[in-house]
Amino acid sequence: MDNKLIFLVDMQSFYASVEKSANPKLQDHPVVVAGDPERRSGIILAACPIAKQYDVETAEALWQAQQKCPDLIIVRPRMKLYIELSYQITQILERFTDQVEVFSVDEQFLDLTGTERLFGDRYTVAHNIQDEIQEELGVYARVGIGPNKVLAKIACDAFAKKNEQGIFELTHHHMKDTMWKLPVGKMFGVGSRMEKHFSRMGIQTIGDLANYPVQYLKKRWGINGEVLSNIANGIDYSPVSTQTHNGQKAVGHHMTLPRDYETLEDIKIVLLELSEEVAKRARAKNYRGHTLSLGLRGANVNDPTGFHRQIKLTSPTNYGMDLFHAALQLLNKHWDGLPVRSVGVTLSQLQSADVYQLSLFNPSVEKDQLSKAMDDIRKKFGQTAIVRASSLQEAGQVFDRAQKIGGHYK
Ligand SMILES: [Mg+2]
């Protein structure tokens, strides 16, 4: 559908802003991030707004920029840091929706369709996103809003980047008075060669392109001609695609019980064991997860009961008790009280555990230390050297499972 609520969130002068935020002494100076500052032939990767006041531009040669601005401070790029900050921005955005697409290191799409009752109107959400990124990471974000990705992107690039509040909404309705008036070269996908070509065809503005018969464009440029015509007309059906950075999407563990468990107390015991196991596996792979799911299957094969539900954790975690509390919440809400044959706990929306430790607000230091101590003891003395007291009860499966590999006895 072409009528969603899509945001494009773009970081202003991303690399330069990150460097300034990391080093407050740079705050009031013209700063650029440039490849190989030792060589004057290096290229500017990002310029801060102060440097831009001197007409310093992205992609120009360092020596040119230094001519324009002799006091220019040149910083070597730290790509790893920028990518880590980009992950953190994704996490901030995921507070508003799980539909986040990393478009580039400093641009991310959000699909917020249907969230207005949760988080307020679109402008409130846009302001909140700006505030949270500014407060937590010290970077100024601009927000383009549209009914699809194309219009959100143009709203951001052509308008939000240039206005006071850094927010602009572009709808089909007022597209004609805004975007169509722009020179066609401002539209993404149109390079300088194509712009010249268009010019010879009498196409000067995006509006001219939008109204040019599409069959001629197709004849000349094939499918790309049609794509450009669609962009100019603000038509775009592509979804926000939420591919995570991580190769692995989830860490989980599932257990078929030795008998049907009928009481909440018994189910809670295996739930805690599963939560600890999943947390341990996530730690072993150096992940934290942001979503927990619980699956429960009933005992009667002929009358399948049970549920599979998920819940967003307050922050990414690999701490067993965090997983257990979330799983318990789901259990209390969704269990129908019938006997249970099998239980599964999964942690998803994974991210590197290291990334999170860089976060400015990290409430998990103590949890990390406790978890690490438990992992170390188990490594040294065996899997059952340290267990929850609850696992000593009959319903506990830890001791039994420690005897098995992949469900079979060793
Ligand atoms: Mg940017």
Side-chain angles (χ1 to χ4, degrees):
M1 256 266 290
D2 193 22
N3 199 14
K4 298 178 184 163
L5 177 57
I6 307 294
F7 281 20
L8 179 71
V9 182
D10 168 275
M11 307 309 132
Q12 184 183 46
S13 315
F14 185 50
Y15 304 163
S17 302
V18 171
E19 295 299 340
K20 282 192 153 186
S21 166
N23 183 359
K25 280 189 210 143
L26 299 176
Q27 208 53 252
D28 303 321
H29 297 279
V31 172
V32 292
V33 174
D36 204 354
E38 264 75 80
R39 291 176 48 196
R40 276 167 45 83
S41 58
I43 294 290
I44 309 269
L45 299 174
C48 79
I50 301 175
K52 280 179 181 163
Q53 282 172 13
Y54 290 89
D55 286 327
V56 171
E57 287 169 27
T58 304
E60 80 178 328
L62 199 48
W63 65 269
Q64 278 177 316
Q66 281 173 308
Q67 269 179 356
K68 292 177 185 171
C69 177
D71 297 330
L72 200 61
I73 296 174
I74 301 145
V75 181
R76 193 184 282 276
R78 294 190 284 174
M79 291 314 292
K80 198 169 162 253
L81 175 65
Y82 310 146
I83 291 166
E84 281 163 357
L85 265 288
S86 178
Y87 289 160
Q88 290 186 26
I89 291 162
T90 307
Q91 285 154 38
I92 291 173
L93 298 176
E94 282 177 345
R95 292 171 194 162
F96 298 89
T97 171
D98 58 352
Q99 301 293 305
V100 179
E101 175 182 343
V102 179
F103 184 63
S104 72
V105 72
D106 71 334
E107 291 172 291
Q108 312 200 20
F109 282 111
L110 278 75
D111 186 342
L112 288 155
T113 311
T115 64
E116 296 203 50
R117 269 196 295 168
L118 262 144
F119 298 113
D121 73 90
R122 52 198 69 191
Y123 287 95
T124 309
V125 175
H127 280 295
N128 288 341
I129 286 173
Q130 283 182 318
D131 290 348
E132 289 181 30
I133 294 174
Q134 182 73 55
E135 277 163 28
E136 294 173 44
L137 306 174
V139 176
Y140 178 56
R142 281 80 56 94
V143 183
I145 306 172
N148 56 42
K149 283 159 73 174
V150 152
L151 287 181
K153 170 89 174 135
I154 295 170
C156 186
D157 289 348
F159 302 103
K161 285 183 183 178
K162 296 183 173 74
N163 73 18
E164 247 327 84
Q165 56 172 354
I167 300 170
F168 190 86
E169 182 176 17
L170 191 54
T171 63
H172 285 117
H173 188 66
H174 67 280
M175 194 171 70
K176 292 184 177 71
D177 306 321
T178 52
M179 155 185 165
W180 277 13
K181 299 210 157 114
L182 297 173
V184 70
K186 292 273 175 207
M187 198 179 91
F188 65 91
V190 178
S192 58
R193 262 186 64 190
M194 191 170 262
E195 189 183 358
K196 272 182 205 141
H197 213 118
F198 279 153
S199 177
R200 283 199 293 275
M201 293 162 74
I203 298 171
Q204 310 294 344
T205 64
I206 297 180
D208 292 339
L209 178 60
N211 292 299
Y212 203 86
V214 67
Q215 63 268 30
Y216 296 127
L217 297 171
K218 266 169 93 172
K219 212 177 260 174
R220 208 148 200 160
W221 285 287
I223 186 75
N224 194 35
E226 189 175 353
V227 169
L228 289 173
S229 176
N230 280 345
I231 294 174
N233 281 292
I235 298 167
D236 173 25
Y237 297 99
S238 66
V240 167
S241 63
T242 58
Q243 272 155 358
T244 48
H245 306 277
N246 302 302
Q248 188 166 359
K249 294 239 190 287
V251 177
H253 192 54
H254 175 264
M255 207 191 279
T256 301
L257 303 170
R259 59 176 172 81
D260 299 332
Y261 282 18
E262 301 190 14
T263 68
L264 185 63
E265 284 324 297
D266 282 357
I267 298 169
K268 270 165 77 176
I269 291 168
V270 286
L271 214 55
L272 180 56
E273 291 180 357
L274 281 168
S275 301
E276 296 270 25
E277 177 67 23
V278 170
K280 193 179 79 191
R281 290 181 186 190
R283 291 196 295 272
K285 293 183 168 173
N286 203 36
Y287 284 130
R288 289 174 211 276
H290 212 158
T291 297
L292 179 122
S293 17
L294 172 66
L296 220 73
R297 256 211 330 269
N300 189 344
V301 194
N302 299 319
D303 178 22
T305 55
F307 64 88
H308 193 275
R309 289 298 171 96
Q310 62 180 45
I311 190 169
K312 186 103 176 175
L313 300 155
T314 37
S315 63
T317 181
N318 55 21
Y319 183 57
M321 286 310 277
D322 287 348
L323 306 195
F324 173 66
H325 287 305
L328 193 56
Q329 231 176 301
L330 291 171
L331 181 70
N332 285 331
K333 199 163 165 195
H334 301 290
W335 183 43
D336 53 16
L338 295 170
V340 173
R341 169 63 51 86
S342 72
V343 188
V345 168
T346 304
L347 184 64
S348 59
Q349 277 198 295
L350 301 177
Q351 62 184 67
S352 162
D354 297 328
V355 171
Y356 186 63
Q357 277 163 357
L358 289 172
S359 168
L360 297 173
F361 305 105
N362 189 350
S364 69
V365 174
E366 279 168 63
K367 291 176 184 175
D368 284 350
Q369 286 167 351
L370 180 60
S371 297
K372 185 172 182 311
M374 282 166 66
D375 290 345
D376 287 349
I377 290 169
R378 288 184 180 129
K379 233 177 259 165
K380 239 183 182 155
F381 302 109
Q383 288 306 315
T384 53
I386 177 166
V387 298
R388 298 263 169 203
S390 61
S391 286
L392 299 173
Q393 293 172 51
E394 187 271 332
Q397 290 298 299
V398 164
F399 286 94
D400 194 44
R401 277 188 303 126
Q403 311 287 313
K404 297 180 191 173
I405 297 170
H408 303 285
Y409 283 95
K410 282 180 197 168

